[in-house]
Amino acid sequence: MHDTTAEAVARPRAVVKISSGEEVTGWMRATDVELDHSTDKPFPPRSAGLGIGVASDLKGSWDDQPEDQKAIVKLDSFRGGDSVDRLTTKLREYEDPDGAVGGYLDSEHVATAYATQVARAVWGDDVRTASAKIDSANMEIVPLSTQARTAVARGWDRLEVLLTGRYHATYGLAVTRILIGLTGLGLILTNFNARHYAFGVGNAWSGEIADPKSDFPDIWLFSLFHRAVTVPPLFTAMMIGLAILAIVITLGWRTRIVLPFYLVLWVSFIELNDGAGDQGDNAYRMFLIALLFADTTRRWSLDARRRARRSRRVLSVDGVAGDAFGTDPDAHGTAVGSQRRWVLIMANNLAIVVLAFQVCAIYMSGGLYKAGGAAWQHGFAVYNPLQTQQFGTWPVLSDLVTAWGPMVVVISWASVLFQCAFPFMLFNRWTRIAGLLGILSFHLGIALLMGLPWFSLTMIAVDAIFIRDNSFANLDARLQSWWHSDSPGSRHSVRAADLPTGNEHSTKSGVF
C-alpha cells in the first residue's frame, strides 16, 4: 500500500532477492534522477516529469477518497497475492457517492507499475515486489518549465483518451438520428399534398425555377430536384424516394452509406423555394453534415442488430467476438483494424463536439440577439407573434397563453435566460437537467403555439447528445423489462424460470 498522507513525489522501494534470502531496500527518490535530465537543459526530455505526474495523480485521487476508505487504506493490513482484490472489495463496501474508489485504485496500480519499473532499473531482475509512497516535494528544485510541460503533457493525454478512448453519446446520437429522420419524413408528408404549389411547377410565379435565389441549385450536385421540378411525375417520384431514405435513416439501416445520399437530395429539395424555408432548414443541413462523421447506429438501429447477430455467429464458431456487446464492427483484432477503429472513434467524438458547439452557438447568439431588443427587454415579445395569423396557428391557445401579462413576461425573459445560460448549465449534472428541461419546454412551445414543429424537433434531436449514456441505458432497460412483462406468455416464462433445475438451489446467481 502507499503512504499518501503527504504530497508531491513518488519514492519507490523494493524487496530484492539476495543469497541469504530477501532484503527490503530503502526508499529511493527517483524523481531527483528524472529532474536531473531537465535541470539547466535547453531541450529537456518529457521523461523528466513522469514521476511527478504519477505522484500528483495518486495524491489527487487520495484526496478525493471518503474518510472511511482512507481509514481502511491507512490500516495497511492487506497482504498476499490477492491483496488488491480484497482491498477493492473492502473499499466498495462503503458508500462512494462520487465514484472516487475506482480512480484511486487505478492511480495506485499505475504508481505500483512505476515503482516496479524504477526498481528493476536500479536493482535488476532480482526484484520480487515493489511499492511506492508519496513524499513531500521541495517545489523549489522543480523548474517551472518542467511543471508546465508536465501539466501540458497530462492535459494532452487526457484529451487524447477522451477523443480516442471510446465512443461517447452512443444513445444520444441514436436519438439524434431517429428524430432527424422523423423530421425529414414529417416535413415531406405534411407538404406532400401541396408539393407542386410550395416547391414544384405551381411555384413558378416566384421566379425560383427560372432564377433561384439560393446558390445550391447552381451546384450540379445539389441541382437534382431543380432539374426535375418541371416534370411533375418525376418530381413526385423523387419526393417519395426522399421519404423512403428518411425512413431508412430513422431505422438505422446502412446509415453510413445512405446518409450522404440523403443529405445531397435533401439540400436539393429544400432549396427549391427559398421563401418556404426557415432557419430550421439551415440547422438541419449543418447537423446532417456533422452526422456524416459520427456512428449513429451503435444503438437502437438495424445496423446494431445486424452487428450483434454477426458477433454471435463469430462467437459460436471461433469463441471470440469483436466486442462485449456485439456492436463494434471495427474491432478486427489486426493492426489495420485497430488503426481504423481509432480513426472512427475520434471522428465520432469530434462530430459530437461540432454538434454541441453548433447548438450552443445557436442558443447563445439567439439569446443575445433577443436581449438587445426592446420587446424582449420589456417582456412582451412572446405576445406579438402569437397574435399574428402566420405564427398564431392555434388562436385559442395563443389567447390563453397571452391572457395574463405576468405570464407573458415570465415566458419572454425565461426564454432569453435559458438560451444565454444553456452552454454554461451543461457543466454540472443538476443544472444540465434544468437546462435541458427548460430548452425542451421552449421548443415544445414553439412547435405547438407557433406552428414550427420541424424546427423544434431538429433542435431537440441534437439536444439528446447532452444526456448521459447511463440515463438512456437505464431507460432502455426499464422499457425492455416493461415490454417483456406485458408480452403474451411472459408470466408463464417467468414462473418457469423461477423453478430451480439441477443444483441451482445451492448456488447464487452472478447476474444481479
Side-chain angles (χ1 to χ4, degrees):
M1 295 296 92
H2 307 303
D3 176 12
T4 54
T5 58
E7 63 176 0
V9 296
R11 299 182 63 186
R13 73 175 180 183
V15 177
V16 183
K17 178 182 177 182
I18 59 177
S19 58
S20 58
E22 294 180 346
E23 178 184 3
V24 179
T25 69
W27 296 105
M28 175 187 177
R29 195 177 174 92
T31 308
D32 291 346
V33 179
E34 293 181 353
L35 292 177
D36 185 59
H37 291 204
S38 64
T39 305
D40 299 327
K41 295 195 172 49
F43 304 103
R46 293 186 178 181
S47 61
L50 292 178
I52 292 178
V54 171
S56 299
D57 287 340
L58 184 57
K59 179 62 172 61
S61 62
W62 170 261
D63 291 339
D64 293 337
Q65 290 292 298
E67 293 302 322
D68 290 336
Q69 279 82 346
K70 287 183 179 180
I72 293 172
V73 176
K74 288 179 180 179
L75 291 175
D76 198 18
S77 58
F78 294 92
R79 306 290 182 181
D82 60 344
S83 60
V84 175
D85 294 335
R86 289 188 288 114
L87 174 62
T88 302
T89 302
K90 190 65 176 178
L91 291 177
R92 296 191 185 280
E93 291 179 359
Y94 296 84
E95 292 186 2
D96 182 25
D98 297 327
V101 170
Y104 169 72
L105 292 173
D106 291 342
S107 297
E108 185 177 358
H109 175 74
V110 173
T112 302
Y114 168 80
T116 302
Q117 180 70 16
V118 172
R120 287 179 177 171
V122 175
W123 293 293
D125 295 333
D126 292 332
V127 172
R128 292 291 184 86
T129 61
S131 59
K133 74 173 182 177
I134 307 306
D135 204 353
S136 299
N138 181 7
M139 298 306 296
E140 294 180 356
I141 69 171
V142 181
L144 182 61
S145 59
T146 300
Q147 298 180 43
R149 284 193 302 272
T150 301
V152 171
R154 289 171 58 193
W156 178 261
D157 291 341
R158 291 178 181 177
L159 178 63
E160 184 177 351
V161 171
L162 181 67
L163 291 178
T164 64
R166 66 179 179 88
Y167 286 93
H168 293 282
T170 55
Y171 285 99
L173 285 174
V175 174
T176 301
R177 183 201 76 245
I178 293 171
L179 295 183
I180 285 291
L182 291 177
T183 298
L185 179 63
L187 195 147
I188 292 172
L189 293 180
T190 53
N191 288 277
F192 191 77
N193 290 337
R195 61 190 180 279
H196 297 304
Y197 176 73
F199 297 98
V201 291
N203 188 50
W205 57 267
S206 66
E208 291 275 0
I209 296 179
D211 185 19
K213 294 181 181 179
S214 173
D215 293 330
F216 281 101
D218 296 331
I219 304 174
W220 70 268
L221 186 62
F222 300 107
S223 62
L224 299 177
F225 269 91
H226 187 74
R227 295 176 182 178
V229 71
T230 55
V231 185
L234 178 59
F235 175 72
T236 300
M238 292 181 65
M239 278 194 69
I240 295 174
L242 185 60
I244 293 174
L245 288 182
I247 296 174
V248 172
I249 294 295
T250 303
L251 297 177
W253 184 79
R254 305 289 182 181
T255 308
R256 286 193 180 275
I257 300 175
V258 175
L259 190 58
F261 292 97
Y262 177 73
L263 170 63
V264 171
L265 289 176
W266 176 264
V267 174
S268 176
F269 163 72
I270 207 66
E271 295 297 330
L272 282 173
N273 185 358
D274 190 70
D278 57 40
Q279 292 302 316
D281 300 334
N282 297 331
Y284 192 87
R285 180 173 61 249
M286 291 190 300
F287 296 155
L288 282 178
I289 294 174
L291 290 176
L292 292 175
F293 301 92
D295 189 350
T296 61
T297 59
R298 299 187 69 79
R299 309 286 182 184
W300 297 336
S301 68
L302 296 180
D303 286 350
R305 179 175 295 185
R306 185 183 69 254
R307 296 167 188 169
R309 285 200 302 265
R310 184 175 62 188
S311 295
R312 285 194 295 268
R313 251 190 335 264
V314 173
L315 180 61
S316 63
V317 175
D318 301 333
V320 178
D323 149 336
F325 298 96
T327 59
D328 191 351
D330 310 315
H332 302 301
T334 65
V336 176
S338 299
Q339 184 177 5
R340 179 170 179 260
R341 172 182 167 82
W342 175 82
V343 172
L344 292 177
I345 291 176
M346 184 174 65
N348 178 87
N349 295 335
L350 287 177
I352 296 173
V353 174
V354 171
L355 289 172
F357 174 79
Q358 288 176 336
V359 168
C360 291
I362 290 173
Y363 289 150
M364 177 68 78
S365 60
L368 293 176
Y369 179 80
K370 291 176 180 178
W376 292 98
Q377 293 174 5
H378 292 88
F380 61 87
V382 171
Y383 179 87
N384 293 340
L386 293 182
Q387 297 303 315
T388 63
Q389 292 182 347
Q390 180 181 3
F391 293 110
T393 53
W394 296 84
V396 176
L397 289 179
S398 297
D399 292 340
L400 181 63
V401 172
T402 59
W404 190 39
M407 179 61 69
V408 175
V409 175
V410 169
I411 296 175
S412 299
W413 287 354
S415 64
V416 175
L417 291 175
F418 269 109
Q419 284 187 259
C420 292
F422 182 80
F424 307 101
M425 299 177 76
L426 297 174
F427 292 102
N428 178 270
R429 178 186 178 186
W430 300 110
T431 57
R432 182 169 65 250
I433 293 175
L436 288 173
L437 291 176
I439 287 295
L440 177 62
S441 302
F442 171 74
H443 286 307
L444 291 179
I446 292 177
L448 180 62
L449 298 176
M450 299 182 64
L452 297 172
W454 310 124
F455 163 75
S456 297
L457 194 58
T458 298
M459 300 304 299
I460 292 173
V462 182
D463 288 340
I465 66 174
F466 299 116
I467 302 177
R468 298 184 305 170
D469 276 350
N470 287 341
S471 300
F472 277 121
N474 292 334
L475 176 62
D476 184 32
R478 292 183 181 182
L479 290 177
Q480 289 192 21
S481 176
W482 170 80
W483 176 264
H484 291 303
S485 65
D486 287 349
S487 61
S490 61
R491 294 182 179 179
H492 175 75
S493 61
V494 169
R495 290 176 181 175
D498 289 339
L499 297 177
T501 58
N503 62 349
E504 289 181 2
H505 63 280
S506 61
T507 60
K508 294 183 179 180
S509 172
V511 178
F512 301 102

